Amino acid sequence: MLQKGFLRNREKLNISKKRFLASIILGIGVSFSFYGFLCFVRMCFGMFDFGRANYAVFTKPQEIYWENFNFAIISLVLGNAIFLLNLFRKPDNNPVPAHVRLAIINDQRFLPFNFSYVFLKLGFFVALISAFVETRISEMKFILVFVAIVIFLENWKSIIKYFKKAAYKHLLLNFTIILFLSFSFAFTSVFPYEEMEAIQVNSNPFVDLPVSDFEDEGHYFRMRKLKIYEEKNQLVYQFENEKIEDFDLLGDYLREELSETSRYELSIVLLMPKDISMSNLVKLENRLKGLGYNFIKYVTKFNDENLVSRFDNRGLIKKLHFIATPDSASKIPLPPELQNTVVIKTIQVYLKGKEYFFENEKVKENDLVDYFVKHIDSVTQFNYVFTKNINYQSYITLFASHKQAIQDLRYNDERVKLKFKDYFRPLNRKEYEEDQLRLQRKFPLLFVETYAE
């Protein structure tokens, strides 16, 4: 027979204050420990750039707060499972039936700890990807909050089943406390994350690269990275990890750092802001050419920011040549470069802001590729004429359009496609290379550059 007061007494647990207090301390302690661990992982992966990233990641204080909030609410829900587990792990003076207590305990063990295992594996994977692609946890804050709510409700599933309506008041109080603690935890990152991030940003500042969806492929050179940026209203040159504040010192450093043979084999990878004047680029390229460097690679970014990676060195490769300037006559001319074509016609290209003039014809930015396609042949070269008022982005847009047009022409006129047999061994390499040589002669990249004050 049922004992007297059975239905009434199920609402009373009679848990000792000592165990209740111990459960609270244990739950909060586990929560904060797990929260601190997640903050530590974020800090470590935030610095995980091998010193080769184009720039250090800067996180806005608001984004840091929401990341902390996500870590906190997940940690507190897992800590809450420890709290409930400790409450029900032993019979009390008015014991809950054994099968009910076992169900409640299993709810605290199974989902939260299995989730934490999966969460940590997935978290490490996302953190690793975030080191290469800028992805912020704060962008997924609502998804993580919903996950935390699901886990929280699963923790209370068997409790609600047994205690019925009486459990809802305690559930609401429990969730309110977790929410309050989550907002409180989020005010601290545990570790000096902001200070360490500031040091990284100062040593590897962000450079707003020019935009270009065209990318040179198939060129492999030994590369050294040169970054140019403004600091305190003056240009700073950062060659690999060496910070140089004077252009003449940069030339001396480039000369002394590497032998002439090494410079000939190297390609300078240039990271320069898109709004810098072309006069700085002209001065740099003439100095590099004079030192014996052969190639430069302009690092660009995609128009779609979702495709941008701070480790990406994609961009446009250019064989360095001497750029004519007003004082060129006072300099010793460099020997002319050998060409496999005879230039009969030269089209003057004038850059004026976002406008481009081919002789007297104005061509819009979106029509540049089409214009080049119509005028490129084996005997026509283009002379880019720019002044100090032209910025780097305008030049990159023109140069990328020229290269895109040549690529389109060669692709459409291609006669031999490379075929492969087992283990990706080419079947027709000789015929393919001969056809590619024909295309290069038919549609060469012919251009010179003039800088006018």
Side-chain angles (χ1 to χ4, degrees):
M1 294 180 64
L2 294 176
Q3 295 180 1
K4 183 179 179 180
F6 172 75
L7 295 176
R8 181 176 64 256
N9 292 335
R10 70 160 50 188
E11 298 180 9
K12 299 179 181 179
L13 289 176
N14 294 327
I15 296 174
S16 65
K17 292 182 179 180
K18 183 178 179 181
R19 191 203 297 181
F20 184 74
L21 184 60
S23 298
I24 292 177
I25 295 174
L26 181 63
I28 293 179
V30 169
S31 298
F32 194 78
S33 298
F34 192 71
Y35 172 73
F37 174 71
L38 294 178
C39 290
F40 176 74
V41 171
R42 177 187 60 187
M43 182 183 68
C44 291
F45 278 98
M47 298 183 290
F48 191 51
D49 64 7
F50 311 103
R52 304 300 299 175
N54 292 341
Y55 54 88
V57 174
F58 172 75
T59 311
K60 297 178 181 178
Q62 184 180 5
E63 291 180 343
I64 293 177
Y65 181 83
W66 278 114
E67 288 184 4
N68 290 347
F69 177 79
N70 280 277
F71 291 157
I73 196 167
I74 290 294
S75 301
L76 283 162
V77 166
L78 296 178
N80 189 61
I82 300 295
F83 164 72
L84 295 174
L85 179 64
N86 197 61
L87 282 183
F88 289 94
R89 65 185 174 85
K90 291 182 180 179
D92 49 32
N93 296 329
N94 185 22
V96 175
H99 70 281
V100 175
R101 188 166 56 83
L102 184 61
I104 294 173
I105 291 173
N106 286 338
D107 284 348
Q108 314 317 313
R109 286 175 175 171
F110 181 72
L111 183 61
F113 292 101
N114 278 279
F115 166 78
S116 63
Y117 172 72
V118 175
F119 176 73
L120 286 175
K121 290 181 66 175
L122 182 61
F124 272 98
F125 177 74
V126 171
L128 182 61
I129 296 300
S130 298
F132 297 91
V133 180
E134 293 184 57
T135 302
R136 286 291 165 202
I137 298 173
S138 56
E139 297 172 2
M140 304 179 289
K141 54 180 175 285
F142 296 112
I143 295 177
L144 292 181
V145 169
F146 290 147
V147 170
I149 292 173
V150 169
I151 296 174
F152 173 79
L153 293 176
E154 282 293 321
N155 291 345
W156 279 82
K157 182 173 64 176
S158 295
I159 299 175
I160 294 173
K161 200 173 191 180
Y162 177 71
F163 289 96
K164 306 297 182 184
K165 293 182 180 179
Y168 287 107
K169 178 177 67 176
H170 301 285
L171 180 149
L172 184 60
L173 178 62
N174 188 202
F175 184 74
T176 302
I177 292 172
I178 288 176
L179 204 58
F180 172 76
L181 290 176
S182 297
F183 284 111
S184 300
F185 277 21
F187 282 107
T188 176
S189 297
V190 183
F191 302 95
Y193 180 75
E194 294 85 350
E195 288 80 359
M196 298 187 70
E197 187 179 81
I199 294 173
Q200 278 190 290
V201 171
N202 184 60
S203 62
N204 192 12
F206 173 78
V207 170
D208 191 11
L209 298 171
V211 174
S212 172
D213 287 331
F214 179 83
E215 175 183 5
D216 273 315
E217 298 178 353
H219 295 267
Y220 302 99
F221 306 102
R222 294 172 56 207
M223 298 181 178
R224 299 293 290 273
K225 187 178 293 184
L226 173 63
K227 177 185 286 190
I228 301 177
Y229 57 93
E230 287 190 1
E231 187 175 86
K232 298 179 181 179
N233 296 323
Q234 73 172 27
L235 286 184
V236 175
Y237 306 88
Q238 186 172 309
F239 187 67
E240 296 296 326
N241 294 321
E242 188 71 23
K243 190 174 180 180
I244 304 167
E245 297 183 354
D246 184 84
F247 181 75
D248 292 330
L249 293 178
L250 172 66
D252 295 338
Y253 184 86
L254 292 172
R255 181 185 298 105
E256 296 171 2
E257 177 72 8
L258 300 166
S259 66
E260 186 173 351
T261 303
S262 298
R263 296 197 295 267
Y264 181 81
E265 296 173 349
L266 279 175
S267 171
I268 295 295
V269 179
L270 179 65
L271 289 89
M272 190 168 81
K274 62 183 180 182
D275 57 352
I276 281 187
S277 170
M278 276 298 295
S279 60
N280 296 292
L281 182 63
V282 171
K283 185 167 63 172
L284 174 65
E285 290 193 20
N286 281 344
R287 178 63 61 88
L288 291 175
K289 182 62 180 175
L291 290 172
Y293 286 91
N294 229 10
F295 292 92
I296 193 168
K297 185 173 187 179
Y298 307 121
V299 179
T300 61
K301 63 181 180 181
F302 286 104
N303 191 49
D304 185 354
E305 290 289 343
N306 293 321
L307 301 177
V308 175
S309 166
R310 62 196 185 102
F311 283 87
D312 196 354
N313 285 329
R314 63 175 296 277
L316 311 174
I317 293 177
K318 171 184 170 183
K319 187 171 183 179
L320 288 170
H321 57 258
F322 185 74
I323 300 175
T325 59
D327 60 342
S328 296
S330 63
K331 298 182 179 180
I332 300 175
L334 297 176
E337 296 182 9
L338 298 177
Q339 296 182 346
N340 295 322
T341 184
V342 176
V343 174
I344 296 177
K345 179 181 179 182
T346 298
I347 297 177
Q348 304 294 329
V349 184
Y350 300 93
L351 286 74
K352 297 181 179 180
K354 293 185 178 181
E355 298 179 340
Y356 302 87
F357 291 85
F358 290 73
E359 300 295 350
N360 295 321
E361 182 179 353
K362 181 179 178 181
V363 180
K364 296 180 180 179
E365 182 177 311
N366 294 333
D367 298 329
L368 285 173
V369 175
D370 292 337
Y371 183 92
F372 277 118
V373 167
K374 293 177 182 178
H375 293 81
I376 289 174
D377 55 41
S378 61
V379 296
T380 301
Q381 76 172 0
F382 298 85
N383 180 26
Y384 302 165
V385 182
F386 32 75
T387 65
K388 63 181 180 181
N389 296 323
I390 302 304
N391 61 33
Y392 183 40
Q393 176 66 71
S394 298
Y395 171 71
I396 288 295
T397 301
L398 178 68
F399 190 43
S401 299
H402 195 168
K403 285 204 159 196
Q404 182 68 63
I406 289 176
Q407 184 184 79
D408 293 346
L409 287 167
R410 291 176 181 178
Y411 179 80
N412 292 328
D413 197 51
E414 193 175 47
R415 297 173 185 172
V416 180
K417 302 289 184 181
L418 196 59
K419 299 178 181 178
F420 298 91
K421 55 182 178 180
D422 296 339
Y423 305 107
F424 297 99
R425 288 180 296 181
L427 289 170
N428 57 342
R429 178 184 292 276
K430 183 178 180 181
E431 293 85 354
Y432 175 77
E433 291 178 348
E434 288 176 352
D435 188 55
Q436 291 299 308
L437 183 59
R438 177 188 65 85
L439 291 171
Q440 291 172 17
R441 289 172 176 170
K442 186 175 181 179
F443 305 112
L445 178 63
L446 292 177
F447 73 101
V448 292
E449 296 171 310
T450 302
Y451 175 73
E453 293 289 354

